[in-house]
């Protein structure tokens, strides 16, 4: 991925990894547009961060994705990269039938939100030079966390979907990159911002940007902190890694 002079749209860019990466990309000389559901939050970020573009988008709603596409491509005709950062993570008790409401919400946001966003923006990106699509899975796509089964499953699905997307777009010039974060100190789950086992946000952002800067042809951004999860199965240590992960 070219790391400067891009125009990048980041869904789920109002906090955490999305906002952090958006600001890092902006500092590298890119035009960055962040998308989120709450206009008042977007307006506040735009006022505090000169040069950041903002667009309202709810990835749970196909009509909202289409409206965001129309707005972004009209206001920023040089758009050449998207990052599908929007995601939610919630605990579930699979013995409680009421968990299905949570399950459906996670699938809608994490999986369908990504697929719908990619589907809408890909025809535009095909026409652009140095185009890129960045999806976001998780180390939990490879080793499950017991309390978040559907989150794990959606991230495993994103990993598989991204592989297929990369193959289908191989002749288009669009680079497809999968970000595979570890647990990072954000507000994704209650208590995660201060969890000792989670990586500090700035450290994760630095590690990720360093890989993108030094490995422009990378397909998976696997920082050192997440390699024990990403490589557990191929290295033949999946059972003990599951045990270790769920001992926190």
């Amino acid at each position: 991925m070219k790391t400067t002079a891009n125009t990048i749209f980041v869904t789920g860019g109002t906090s955490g990894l999305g906002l952090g990466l958006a600001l890092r990309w902006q500092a590298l000389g890119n035009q960055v547009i962040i998308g989120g559901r709450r206009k008042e939050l977007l307006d506040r970020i735009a006022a505090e961060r000169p040069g950041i573009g903002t667009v309202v988008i709810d990835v749970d709603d196909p009509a909202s994705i289409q409206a965001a596409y129309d707005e972004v491509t009209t206001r920023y005709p040089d758009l050449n990269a998207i990052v599908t950062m929007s995601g939610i993570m919630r605990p579930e008790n699979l013995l409680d039938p009421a968990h299905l409401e949570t399950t459906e919400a996670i699938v809608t946001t994490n999986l369908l939100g990504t697929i719908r966003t990619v589907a809408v923006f890909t025809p535009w990106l095909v026409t652009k030079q140095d185009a890129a699509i960045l999806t976001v899975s998780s180390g939990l796509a490879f080793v499950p966390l017991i309390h978040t089964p559907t989150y794990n499953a959606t991230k495993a699905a994103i990993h598989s979907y991204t592989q297929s997307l990369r193959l289908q777009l191989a002749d288009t010039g669009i680079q497809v990159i999968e970000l595979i974060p570890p647990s990072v100190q954000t507000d994704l789950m209650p208590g995660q911002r201060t969890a000792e086992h989670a990586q500090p946000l700035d450290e994760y952002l630095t590690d990720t940007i360093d890989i993108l800067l030094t490995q422009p042809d990378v397909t998976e951004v696997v920082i050192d902190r997440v390699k024990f999860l990403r490589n557990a199965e191929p290295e033949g240590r999946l059972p003990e890694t599951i045990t270790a992960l769920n001992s926190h």
Side-chain angles (χ1 to χ4, degrees), residues 4 29 50 62 65 75 106 113 135 140-141 191-192 209:
T4 191
I65 296 172
R75 289 171 52 193
I106 295 170
T135 62
L140 300 182
Q192 188 169 322
I209 292 296

Side-chain angles (χ1 to χ4, degrees), residues 6-29:
N6 296 294
T7 301
I8 306 171
F9 179 45
V10 183
T11 70
T14 56
S15 64
L17 303 189
L19 180 58
L21 286 172
L23 296 177
R24 294 293 183 102
W25 275 313
Q26 184 189 35
L28 287 170

